[in-house]
Amino acid sequence: LAPVMSGDMDKPLISHRLMDSDGSLAEAPTEAPKVGILGSGDFARSLAMRLVASGFSVVVGSRNPKRTAGLFPSTVQVTFQAEAVSSPEIVFVAVFREHYPSLCVLSDQLAGKILVDVSNPTEQEHLQHRQSNAEYLASLFPTCTVVKAFNVISAWSLQAGPRDGNRQVPICSNQREAKRTVSELVQAMGFSPVDMGSLVSAREVEAMPLRLLPGWKVPALLALGLFVCFYAYNFVRDVLHPYLHEGKNTFYRLPVSVVNMTLSCVAYVLLSLVYLPGVLAAALQLQRGTKYFRFPDWLDHWLQHRKQIGLMSFFCAALHALYSFCLPLRRSHRYDLLNLAVKQVLANKSPLWVEEDVWRLEIYLSMGVLALGTLSLLAVTSLPSIANSLNWREFSFVQSTLGFLALVLSTLHTLTCGWASAFKESSYKFYLPPTFTLTLLVPCVVILARGLFVLPCLSRRLAKIRRGWEKAGATRFPLCEDHTVAQKTSHV
Amino acid sequence: LAPVMSGDMDKPLISHRLMDSDGSLAEAPTEAPKVGILGSGDFARSLAMRLVASGFSVVVGSRNPKRTAGLFPSTVQVTFQAEAVSSPEIVFVAVFREHYPSLCVLSDQLAGKILVDVSNPTEQEHLQHRQSNAEYLASLFPTCTVVKAFNVISAWSLQAGPRDGNRQVPICSNQREAKRTVSELVQAMGFSPVDMGSLVSAREVEAMPLRLLPGWKVPALLALGLFVCFYAYNFVRDVLHPYLHEGKNTFYRLPVSVVNMTLSCVAYVLLSLVYLPGVLAAALQLQRGTKYFRFPDWLDHWLQHRKQIGLMSFFCAALHALYSFCLPLRRSHRYDLLNLAVKQVLANKSPLWVEEDVWRLEIYLSMGVLALGTLSLLAVTSLPSIANSLNWREFSFVQSTLGFLALVLSTLHTLTCGWASAFKESSYKFYLPPTFTLTLLVPCVVILARGLFVLPCLSRRLAKIRRGWEKAGATRFPLCEDHTVAQKTSHV
Amino acid sequence: LAPVMSGDMDKPLISHRLMDSDGSLAEAPTEAPKVGILGSGDFARSLAMRLVASGFSVVVGSRNPKRTAGLFPSTVQVTFQAEAVSSPEIVFVAVFREHYPSLCVLSDQLAGKILVDVSNPTEQEHLQHRQSNAEYLASLFPTCTVVKAFNVISAWSLQAGPRDGNRQVPICSNQREAKRTVSELVQAMGFSPVDMGSLVSAREVEAMPLRLLPGWKVPALLALGLFVCFYAYNFVRDVLHPYLHEGKNTFYRLPVSVVNMTLSCVAYVLLSLVYLPGVLAAALQLQRGTKYFRFPDWLDHWLQHRKQIGLMSFFCAALHALYSFCLPLRRSHRYDLLNLAVKQVLANKSPLWVEEDVWRLEIYLSMGVLALGTLSLLAVTSLPSIANSLNWREFSFVQSTLGFLALVLSTLHTLTCGWASAFKESSYKFYLPPTFTLTLLVPCVVILARGLFVLPCLSRRLAKIRRGWEKAGATRFPLCEDHTVAQKTSHV
């Protein structure tokens, strides 16, 4: 198969002129291959416009041609269904599944032709029917060859022309020749055909446009879970305990103060979870003495979701910063300050100053800002258009070196924040350790492990393994399903 | 979804080597098709380099070849104008409009050839001449075929190679064959030809590079208008009124405090204006009982500018956040606090604490941060490289669901801010209601309407209409000029 | 040469199915051109998968075919090295440099074939060997034609498909025919071949993936240098001087307060350095009376790094904002405020209010926020995906007009901050002028110069020069190495 070449005809502003112009492109239809379309919805219309713009002659079949004609550009021929499907070899079926049976009257005219099923079930329909729309169509028209295609392309993309992200058109069919014909059509329209095999795959193809950010589900749930846990923990320690033991009502801290503390914990733990799987993978490689083995599935998935976990961490860190900056805007802050001033005046009047506290907060804040600044660089370089312009070494420098720096900075941020309280008995409310000591666990493991991997004995062995060296007797396993895992871990 | 493609032939770093290398690419010229260029400016040079890199043989015509030759790579032949235009079939005219008449001496040599007009008038020239440069050139050379092309491409893009955004080359000419020849040339150079019809369109094509963010004009003016109105309103209520009635000089609040309050109003109203047209469109569809009709022009334009209005809203909201964080940095804030402390000490010394005020501000701040966080997700997903990697369902989830969530959060933010004052007589200065009650108007209409559309009776009918169902007797209108409006509104 | 238009077979999710499907794509190999691969590492495997997906028949040579076979998809033939290299005309050498000699046993079978060297040296190896890997391979196999290619593409890109940033494949070889054959192969795989000349260039090609953000080195060092200088200066003035002269210990200001002040200076000076080279270039053009001359190298490089310097400036400005918002969160701030309140109560009790100070800070803060807001627009439009969607006029409007506005706003920000102190003797600690007066130097020069260029006499002359006009007797110089400099400066 030749690579897909394609001239991006995009920008709606320009491309919709194609069919009205008097130029060569628009005039091609007279000798152009003929394509039929059944249906007159948005998709049918966009399809017709794109086909005309790509040099095809289009005939649309409608039950009420007179009424429908006005909806299509004048270069498109609109006629009765039976007449429309008589001459073209390829007929697009752009009607809803529930109307498929109504097309059965055309069985005779359609015999031997290629039917292209472009339909997209709703989520509900997809769950309800075990048979894909394309297979259902095939069962209704046994004398036709059904090809599933174009369902991932929206009517808008068809009109506006293919763009970066959505130019791939998965195709499947049981007949190879039909698949090739439709592939050529797809290419001529500026998209890239991708062979998905036989019609059994249609169900999978139809599920594609139903995907809702699949890569984000686990990281989002993880962040949510951590948030709930830490929020409850902070609530018990910082609100419930003072209330029960000292009778102090600090419930007003729930919306800002506790959320803020919780967000910092979530961001910090998530960041360490970005680097933990790499450490585990390296440890596994060192232990087995080879890189030619499959990681366990959970580790594999974890490695693949690091980008999303990292962005989640950045989002929480940014919210934490916003909440922190809101602290002095609170009314409670103002009251506290005023009451403290009054108390100070009444009690002892010597200037108030605790050098240690002052230094602790200055360093704490500075580390926090620097950690957020570093994280924001990571976030920016994970934008597709920037990531694509970096070579492997640059990408790995930013994601691995700068990312690790951010982890170290936030560890210092956390340590200066809570160091003093970790060793006071009064901090262990209900015998629960301060939140910050809990959050330090995973990050410290990661930092220690990476410290270990820098030792010459381990780093040399690891480098050798990553160049393909294997320990005598190391057991290899085929990696077919994901060859890149080994590579992906190489920037541990 | 995987990204993709643009035939970015070359980073400048690499591409400028093409003409110096000893390889096959650079050597092709011997048998390559010959192309002529008249002119020796930046554009002529970049054009020559790109043509050579694309395998053409280039001959440049100059009035002073000796002097000009040094400006071109050695593979380009530089000679006298008359000689240069004698052999090639296609001659690029890369000189300024005012020099066109000086080329008339070449009329005989140019007879029957294709002249490609690549010129770009300045804005002033464009307004001054009613005739496009290309038509002017055609009138000077009646025996030649003039084709307008490449004017939208900058010299820099020619050298650096085509990129995503700017690979389209609109072409127009009165002769179809010439247009086809130039189209092939355009393709061979890695760009995408777009047929714009006959030479009459040249004026329009020449206006393209003069466009200055056309999609942003209306949203920017809208934001500015709202800013001015709200600023005046806030000034009257918060600065003028205290001055006239209480003799309190609070003019120092103009640069930060009043601007901050105004920005929050503008951001909030703009956000609601993003969702209002969708609600109106749905209401129209419900009323007419069909989706096959044209929206009124104003609604149409409004629907198309939602993205820009939304980004404007985000920008104002972000500035509002920055201004808010600046509040405690003001000197006036410090003085107020100190004076309050002194007053507190002198007057009554019982601790100051108003539970309701404390809670109100905590919730107010928390809602604000969350609304800004949600809006920032919307802003990020409207970056082209990210928007292109989402499927329709994902895009609509983020823009519609998350966007509506942001609207609800900012409504809560606004309500907690001003609820108490809405029912005090003292808030109605000069009988003007508090600003926040004004801003609530549109957003509440939008939220209520979307609440209504969720009712089973309406939501079912709307779903049916969007699948193509029509009420008996619904009047259809052709939609040719913008078929996608109906689709665009489908994520109300 | 045909244009490179791109094959995007990407999406790992889909593309790895190609070789398992029963469709036409996967079946092509039977009649497809045969390609050999020596090696079984990550890169060899990814290469094999991509070649199969692009319609080639692949045979892999291994010393232990049985063991290796499991690592490749079933459509790839894995056999002994000698057998593998016997039939294909092109053999990829995907082994490390140190194993090249071990391939010498295959010399006879390889005679006359094309060897493609895909290897990438590590930085250490690159420095250690003066001879490139490809030249070394050529010296070992004098009867073969060695072509260097694909080394810039990572195994991951091979599998995932070509993307925007990394689709160029530099190729070099001493034999033109071999280079052409490999170029076609590269195109068929969806990448863009770039001719780099003869095999001598291999060393340069091998250095490409070792590049580490070369465009950022100078700007980053510049920012770092400025930071160190200003930090030291601020330290001496604001911490050391009070300590030595007044015995006041303010060392606690080092982590936040001094860093914050320093960052603002760095951001401001960097921003002015973005616009200085444009001013210098314009001055040079005016002086020489022509645009046809080469700028001195330093100016040239400076012009090319403006984007990075600008982004550096934005990054520092953003950090400055974050640090500023942290100021009221500091413990020292709280202590200062409390102590001041106490002092106020004890001393005189009249309300504290200095109108001038209040106004100064309000304007100072407002200008700062607006400058940061404007800078953020510049930063956003320099994202590749957005920059590519703007035409030249729009880009220049944002980068030049808005950028200059940001410079003016930050000058006002700086002036309101320090104006009062500039004229007090007490501000000249150790006879050092206040930091802000130092930073004003460059920006004021830039603003004044641009003010001058607006004068009709100069602006007209400059416009003429930029349209190609030359002063009588102006000396031209060839510009071959960087033709675009003149253009790049045109938005001064």
Side-chain angles (χ1 to χ4, degrees):
Chain A
L1 184 77
V4 184
M5 313 234 161
S6 99
D8 206 342
M9 312 287 293
D10 10 315
K11 268 201 211 153
L13 234 167
I14 294 180
S15 64
H16 79 265
R17 298 191 54 121
L18 287 170
M19 69 226 70
D20 301 316
S21 94
D22 60 301
S24 52
L25 295 179
E27 238 143 294
T30 46
E31 19 151 79
K34 212 167 195 172
V35 174
I37 297 178
L38 292 170
S40 60
D42 291 333
F43 199 87
R45 282 203 306 276
S46 299
L47 197 60
M49 292 167 82
R50 181 101 216 133
L51 282 164
V52 167
S54 306
F56 293 92
S57 164
V58 176
V59 53
V60 170
S62 164
R63 272 174 299 181
N64 189 344
K66 261 197 190 159
R67 206 175 172 204
T68 310
L71 298 168
F72 287 85
S74 56
T75 38
V76 170
Q77 184 193 345
V78 181
T79 177
F80 288 97
Q81 292 189 331
E83 197 187 326
V85 302
S86 61
S87 65
E89 268 320 287
I90 302 182
V91 176
F92 284 87
V93 178
V95 302
F96 290 110
R97 182 190 177 114
E98 60 259 39
H99 303 314
Y100 284 2
S102 74
L103 302 175
C104 285
V105 294
L106 307 168
S107 277
D108 291 346
Q109 289 96 322
L110 288 172
K113 309 209 163 189
I114 296 173
L115 297 187
V116 184
D117 183 313
V118 300
S119 68
N120 249 345
T122 62
E123 190 151 26
Q124 208 185 342
E125 287 168 348
H126 188 67
L127 291 173
Q128 183 187 331
H129 305 294
R130 310 226 41 190
Q131 199 181 29
S132 67
N133 289 0
E135 287 166 296
Y136 176 53
L137 188 68
S139 71
L140 294 176
F141 296 89
T143 57
C144 302
T145 310
V146 171
V147 178
K148 180 86 206 177
F150 284 106
N151 68 308
V152 299
I153 306 295
S154 70
W156 169 252
S157 296
L158 270 176
Q159 255 192 287
R163 271 131 210 263
D164 269 8
N166 43 16
R167 40 177 10 192
Q168 286 199 318
V169 174
I171 291 178
C172 63
S173 171
N174 287 330
Q175 208 210 315
R176 194 167 311 156
E177 204 43 56
K179 200 149 59 175
R180 187 166 291 161
T181 310
V182 175
S183 287
E184 279 161 18
L185 188 92
V186 168
Q187 278 197 348
M189 290 165 77
F191 294 90
S192 305
V194 176
D195 191 325
M196 297 293 289
S198 64
L199 208 59
V200 185
S201 312
R203 210 178 135 77
E204 196 186 329
V205 172
E206 288 175 6
M208 283 181 184
L210 295 173
R211 281 197 294 231
L212 186 55
L213 303 166
W216 288 93
K217 220 160 269 175
V218 174
L221 285 176
L222 182 66
L224 197 70
L226 284 172
F227 186 87
V228 170
C229 294
F230 277 116
Y231 193 86
Y233 193 85
N234 285 327
F235 168 72
V236 169
R237 273 183 48 87
D238 292 340
V239 177
L240 204 62
H241 185 272
Y243 185 66
L244 294 179
H245 279 233
E246 307 165 41
K248 264 192 359 201
N249 178 345
T250 54
F251 284 95
Y252 72 89
R253 306 184 65 196
L254 290 179
V256 174
S257 179
V258 179
V259 169
N260 185 27
M261 215 186 309
T262 306
L263 280 172
S264 67
C265 299
V266 175
Y268 184 44
V269 171
L270 282 178
L271 185 61
S272 68
L273 292 181
V274 171
Y275 293 96
L276 187 56
V279 165
L280 293 177
L284 266 177
Q285 288 178 339
L286 275 173
Q287 186 223 318
R288 306 215 179 166
T290 172
K291 69 171 177 179
Y292 299 107
F293 67 94
R294 279 206 59 175
F295 292 122
D297 269 353
W298 56 268
L299 184 54
D300 211 30
H301 282 114
W302 196 350
L303 285 164
Q304 279 166 37
H305 286 88
R306 285 180 295 175
K307 179 181 156 186
Q308 283 84 353
I309 299 175
L311 288 173
M312 247 352 181
S313 164
F314 171 68
F315 185 66
C316 291
L319 282 183
H320 165 53
L322 291 180
Y323 270 110
S324 300
F325 299 149
C326 280
L327 293 179
L329 297 171
R330 293 174 307 158
R331 193 52 54 98
S332 54
H333 175 84
R334 157 169 259 176
Y335 290 152
D336 277 342
L337 215 58
L338 286 174
N339 295 335
L340 211 63
V342 172
K343 214 173 113 190
Q344 185 69 6
V345 170
L346 296 182
N348 83 346
K349 277 136 186 180
S350 79
L352 194 64
W353 195 269
V354 186
E355 190 75 11
E356 196 202 310
D357 271 14
V358 167
W359 272 94
R360 205 162 50 74
L361 255 101
E362 304 270 337
I363 294 174
Y364 167 69
L365 292 169
S366 200
M367 289 300 136
V369 170
L370 292 177
L372 186 65
T374 318
L375 268 184
S376 71
L377 294 181
L378 293 188
V380 166
T381 45
S382 58
L383 288 174
S385 63
I386 292 188
N388 286 342
S389 68
L390 300 176
N391 70 29
W392 176 253
R393 200 182 161 209
E394 292 165 339
F395 186 76
S396 130
F397 168 75
V398 173
Q399 296 294 330
S400 181
T401 314
L402 282 192
F404 189 65
L405 178 66
L407 187 63
V408 171
L409 286 170
S410 27
T411 301
L412 293 175
H413 179 65
T414 312
L415 279 174
T416 45
C417 163
W419 189 257
S421 64
F423 304 110
K424 286 192 209 141
E425 211 186 328
S426 65
S427 310
Y428 290 78
K429 297 168 181 169
F430 291 134
Y431 304 103
L432 297 173
T435 326
F436 95 96
T437 44
L438 280 188
T439 61
L440 278 170
L441 235 138
V442 187
C444 286
V445 167
V446 171
I447 293 175
L448 282 176
R450 287 187 59 148
L452 276 178
F453 292 153
V454 171
L455 295 180
C457 56
L458 289 181
S459 73
R460 256 183 240 148
R461 192 180 167 95
L462 207 51
K464 267 199 311 189
I465 288 173
R466 284 186 181 149
R467 290 204 84 170
W469 175 86
E470 294 181 75
K471 186 173 76 179
T475 41
R476 283 179 166 209
F477 298 91
L479 291 163
C480 292
E481 284 185 63
D482 189 0
H483 282 126
T484 54
V485 170
Q487 187 206 356
K488 272 186 253 152
T489 63
S490 64
H491 62 92
V492 173
Chain B
L1 228 79
V4 201
M5 298 315 104
S6 78
D8 201 342
M9 189 134 169
D10 28 11
K11 287 179 202 151
L13 232 168
I14 292 179
S15 68
H16 79 265
R17 298 194 54 123
L18 287 170
M19 69 225 71
D20 300 317
S21 93
D22 59 299
S24 53
L25 296 180
E27 239 143 293
T30 44
E31 21 156 74
K34 212 166 193 172
V35 175
I37 297 178
L38 290 170
S40 59
D42 290 333
F43 198 87
R45 283 204 304 277
S46 298
L47 197 60
M49 291 168 83
R50 179 103 219 131
L51 282 164
V52 167
S54 306
F56 292 92
S57 165
V58 176
V59 52
V60 170
S62 164
R63 272 174 300 180
N64 191 344
K66 262 200 190 155
R67 205 174 173 205
T68 311
L71 297 168
F72 288 85
S74 56
T75 39
V76 170
Q77 185 192 343
V78 181
T79 176
F80 288 97
Q81 293 188 332
E83 200 188 324
V85 302
S86 60
S87 65
E89 269 319 287
I90 301 182
V91 176
F92 283 87
V93 179
V95 302
F96 289 111
R97 182 189 176 115
E98 60 259 38
H99 303 314
Y100 285 2
S102 74
L103 302 176
C104 286
V105 294
L106 305 169
S107 278
D108 292 347
Q109 288 96 323
L110 287 172
K113 311 210 162 186
I114 295 173
L115 297 186
V116 184
D117 184 312
V118 300
S119 69
N120 248 347
T122 62
E123 189 150 26
Q124 209 185 342
E125 288 168 347
H126 189 68
L127 292 172
Q128 184 188 329
H129 304 295
R130 310 226 42 192
Q131 199 181 29
S132 66
N133 290 1
E135 286 166 297
Y136 176 53
L137 187 69
S139 70
L140 294 175
F141 295 89
T143 58
C144 301
T145 311
V146 171
V147 178
K148 180 88 207 174
F150 284 106
N151 67 309
V152 299
I153 306 294
S154 70
W156 168 251
S157 296
L158 271 175
Q159 256 193 287
R163 273 130 209 263
D164 267 8
N166 44 15
R167 49 180 355 202
Q168 285 199 321
V169 173
I171 292 177
C172 64
S173 171
N174 287 329
Q175 209 210 315
R176 193 167 312 155
E177 204 44 56
K179 201 149 59 175
R180 187 166 292 160
T181 310
V182 176
S183 287
E184 279 162 17
L185 190 92
V186 168
Q187 277 196 348
M189 290 165 78
F191 294 91
S192 304
V194 176
D195 191 325
M196 296 293 288
S198 64
L199 208 58
V200 186
S201 314
R203 211 180 134 76
E204 197 187 329
V205 172
E206 288 175 8
M208 282 182 185
L210 295 173
R211 281 197 296 228
L212 187 56
L213 303 167
W216 287 93
K217 221 158 267 173
V218 174
L221 285 176
L222 182 67
L224 197 69
L226 284 173
F227 186 88
V228 169
C229 294
F230 278 115
Y231 192 86
Y233 193 87
N234 285 327
F235 167 72
V236 169
R237 274 185 47 89
D238 292 340
V239 178
L240 205 61
H241 185 272
Y243 184 67
L244 295 179
H245 280 232
E246 307 165 39
K248 266 197 351 207
N249 178 345
T250 54
F251 285 95
Y252 72 88
R253 306 183 66 195
L254 290 178
V256 174
S257 178
V258 179
V259 169
N260 185 28
M261 216 186 311
T262 307
L263 280 172
S264 67
C265 299
V266 175
Y268 184 45
V269 171
L270 282 178
L271 186 60
S272 68
L273 292 181
V274 171
Y275 294 96
L276 186 56
V279 165
L280 293 177
L284 267 177
Q285 288 179 337
L286 276 173
Q287 188 223 318
R288 305 213 180 170
T290 172
K291 69 171 178 179
Y292 298 108
F293 66 93
R294 278 207 59 176
F295 292 122
D297 270 354
W298 56 268
L299 184 55
D300 210 30
H301 282 114
W302 195 349
L303 285 164
Q304 278 166 38
H305 285 89
R306 286 180 294 176
K307 179 181 156 184
Q308 284 84 352
I309 298 175
L311 288 172
M312 248 349 182
S313 165
F314 172 67
F315 185 65
C316 291
L319 282 183
H320 165 52
L322 291 181
Y323 269 109
S324 300
F325 298 150
C326 280
L327 294 179
L329 296 171
R330 293 173 307 157
R331 192 54 54 98
S332 54
H333 175 85
R334 157 171 259 177
Y335 290 150
D336 277 343
L337 216 58
L338 286 174
N339 295 334
L340 211 64
V342 172
K343 213 172 113 193
Q344 184 70 6
V345 169
L346 297 181
N348 83 346
K349 276 137 187 178
S350 80
L352 195 64
W353 194 268
V354 186
E355 189 76 9
E356 195 202 310
D357 271 14
V358 167
W359 272 94
R360 205 163 50 74
L361 255 101
E362 304 270 336
I363 294 174
Y364 166 70
L365 292 169
S366 199
M367 289 299 137
V369 170
L370 292 178
L372 186 66
T374 317
L375 268 184
S376 70
L377 294 182
L378 293 188
V380 166
T381 45
S382 59
L383 288 174
S385 62
I386 291 188
N388 286 341
S389 68
L390 299 175
N391 69 29
W392 176 252
R393 200 182 163 209
E394 292 165 339
F395 186 75
S396 132
F397 168 75
V398 173
Q399 296 294 330
S400 181
T401 314
L402 283 191
F404 189 65
L405 178 65
L407 186 64
V408 171
L409 286 170
S410 28
T411 301
L412 293 176
H413 178 65
T414 311
L415 279 175
T416 45
C417 164
W419 189 259
S421 64
F423 304 110
K424 285 194 210 138
E425 212 186 329
S426 66
S427 310
Y428 290 78
K429 297 167 182 169
F430 292 134
Y431 304 103
L432 297 172
T435 325
F436 94 96
T437 45
L438 281 187
T439 60
L440 278 171
L441 236 137
V442 187
C444 286
V445 167
V446 172
I447 292 175
L448 281 176
R450 288 188 59 150
L452 277 179
F453 293 152
V454 171
L455 295 180
C457 56
L458 290 180
S459 71
R460 255 182 239 149
R461 193 179 166 95
L462 207 50
K464 268 198 312 188
I465 288 173
R466 284 184 182 150
R467 291 203 83 169
W469 176 86
E470 293 180 76
K471 186 172 74 178
T475 41
R476 284 179 167 208
F477 297 91
L479 292 163
C480 293
E481 284 185 63
D482 190 358
H483 283 125
T484 54
V485 170
Q487 186 208 356
K488 274 187 253 151
T489 62
S490 64
H491 63 93
V492 173
Chain C
L1 183 76
V4 180
M5 294 195 154
S6 90
D8 72 307
M9 311 290 294
D10 7 301
K11 260 202 216 159
L13 233 168
I14 293 180
S15 66
H16 80 265
R17 298 191 53 123
L18 286 170
M19 68 227 70
D20 301 317
S21 93
D22 59 302
S24 53
L25 295 178
E27 242 144 290
T30 45
E31 20 153 78
K34 210 166 195 172
V35 175
I37 297 176
L38 290 171
S40 59
D42 290 333
F43 198 87
R45 282 204 305 277
S46 299
L47 198 60
M49 291 167 82
R50 180 103 216 131
L51 282 164
V52 167
S54 306
F56 292 92
S57 164
V58 177
V59 52
V60 170
S62 164
R63 273 175 298 182
N64 190 343
K66 262 198 190 155
R67 203 173 175 208
T68 310
L71 298 168
F72 287 85
S74 56
T75 38
V76 170
Q77 184 193 343
V78 181
T79 176
F80 287 98
Q81 292 188 331
E83 199 187 324
V85 303
S86 60
S87 65
E89 268 319 288
I90 302 182
V91 175
F92 283 87
V93 179
V95 303
F96 289 111
R97 182 189 176 114
E98 60 259 36
H99 304 313
Y100 285 0
S102 74
L103 302 176
C104 287
V105 294
L106 306 170
S107 276
D108 291 346
Q109 289 96 324
L110 288 172
K113 310 210 163 189
I114 296 173
L115 296 186
V116 184
D117 183 313
V118 299
S119 69
N120 248 347
T122 62
E123 189 150 28
Q124 208 185 342
E125 288 169 348
H126 188 67
L127 291 172
Q128 182 188 332
H129 305 294
R130 310 227 40 191
Q131 198 182 30
S132 67
N133 289 0
E135 288 166 295
Y136 175 54
L137 187 68
S139 70
L140 294 175
F141 295 89
T143 58
C144 301
T145 310
V146 171
V147 178
K148 181 87 208 176
F150 284 106
N151 67 309
V152 300
I153 305 294
S154 70
W156 169 251
S157 296
L158 272 175
Q159 256 192 286
R163 273 134 210 260
D164 267 7
N166 43 16
R167 48 183 355 209
Q168 286 199 319
V169 174
I171 292 178
C172 63
S173 171
N174 287 330
Q175 210 210 313
R176 195 167 310 156
E177 204 42 57
K179 200 148 59 175
R180 187 166 292 160
T181 310
V182 175
S183 287
E184 279 161 17
L185 188 91
V186 168
Q187 278 198 347
M189 290 166 76
F191 294 90
S192 305
V194 177
D195 191 325
M196 296 292 289
S198 64
L199 209 58
V200 186
S201 314
R203 208 179 136 78
E204 197 185 329
V205 172
E206 287 175 6
M208 282 182 186
L210 295 173
R211 281 197 296 230
L212 187 55
L213 304 166
W216 287 93
K217 220 159 268 174
V218 175
L221 285 176
L222 181 67
L224 198 69
L226 283 173
F227 186 89
V228 170
C229 294
F230 278 116
Y231 193 87
Y233 193 85
N234 284 327
F235 169 72
V236 169
R237 274 182 48 88
D238 292 341
V239 177
L240 205 61
H241 186 270
Y243 185 66
L244 295 180
H245 280 232
E246 307 164 41
K248 265 197 350 205
N249 177 346
T250 54
F251 284 95
Y252 72 88
R253 305 183 66 196
L254 290 179
V256 174
S257 178
V258 179
V259 169
N260 185 27
M261 217 185 310
T262 306
L263 279 172
S264 68
C265 300
V266 175
Y268 184 44
V269 172
L270 282 177
L271 185 60
S272 68
L273 292 181
V274 171
Y275 293 96
L276 187 55
V279 165
L280 293 177
L284 267 177
Q285 287 180 339
L286 276 173
Q287 186 222 319
R288 306 214 178 167
T290 173
K291 68 171 179 180
Y292 299 108
F293 66 94
R294 278 206 58 174
F295 292 122
D297 270 354
W298 57 267
L299 185 54
D300 210 30
H301 282 113
W302 195 350
L303 285 164
Q304 279 165 37
H305 286 90
R306 285 181 294 175
K307 179 182 155 184
Q308 284 83 355
I309 298 175
L311 288 173
M312 247 351 182
S313 165
F314 171 68
F315 186 66
C316 291
L319 282 183
H320 166 52
L322 291 181
Y323 269 109
S324 300
F325 299 150
C326 281
L327 293 179
L329 297 172
R330 292 173 309 157
R331 192 54 53 99
S332 55
H333 175 84
R334 156 170 259 176
Y335 289 150
D336 277 342
L337 215 59
L338 285 175
N339 295 335
L340 210 64
V342 172
K343 213 172 114 192
Q344 186 69 6
V345 170
L346 297 181
N348 82 347
K349 276 136 187 177
S350 79
L352 193 64
W353 194 269
V354 186
E355 189 75 11
E356 195 203 310
D357 271 15
V358 166
W359 272 94
R360 206 163 49 73
L361 256 100
E362 304 270 336
I363 294 174
Y364 166 71
L365 291 169
S366 200
M367 290 298 136
V369 169
L370 292 178
L372 186 66
T374 317
L375 269 184
S376 70
L377 293 182
L378 294 187
V380 166
T381 46
S382 58
L383 288 174
S385 64
I386 292 188
N388 285 342
S389 68
L390 300 175
N391 70 28
W392 175 252
R393 201 184 161 207
E394 292 165 339
F395 186 76
S396 129
F397 167 74
V398 174
Q399 296 294 330
S400 182
T401 313
L402 282 192
F404 189 65
L405 178 66
L407 187 64
V408 171
L409 286 170
S410 28
T411 301
L412 293 175
H413 178 65
T414 312
L415 279 174
T416 45
C417 164
W419 189 259
S421 64
F423 304 108
K424 285 192 209 140
E425 212 185 329
S426 65
S427 311
Y428 290 77
K429 296 166 182 170
F430 293 133
Y431 305 103
L432 296 172
T435 325
F436 95 95
T437 46
L438 281 187
T439 60
L440 277 170
L441 236 138
V442 188
C444 285
V445 167
V446 172
I447 292 174
L448 281 176
R450 288 187 60 149
L452 276 178
F453 292 153
V454 171
L455 294 180
C457 56
L458 290 181
S459 72
R460 257 182 239 149
R461 193 179 166 95
L462 206 51
K464 266 199 313 190
I465 288 173
R466 284 187 181 148
R467 290 204 83 171
W469 176 86
E470 293 180 75
K471 186 173 75 178
T475 41
R476 283 181 167 206
F477 297 91
L479 292 164
C480 292
E481 284 185 61
D482 189 359
H483 282 125
T484 55
V485 170
Q487 187 208 354
K488 273 187 254 151
T489 64
S490 64
H491 62 92
V492 172

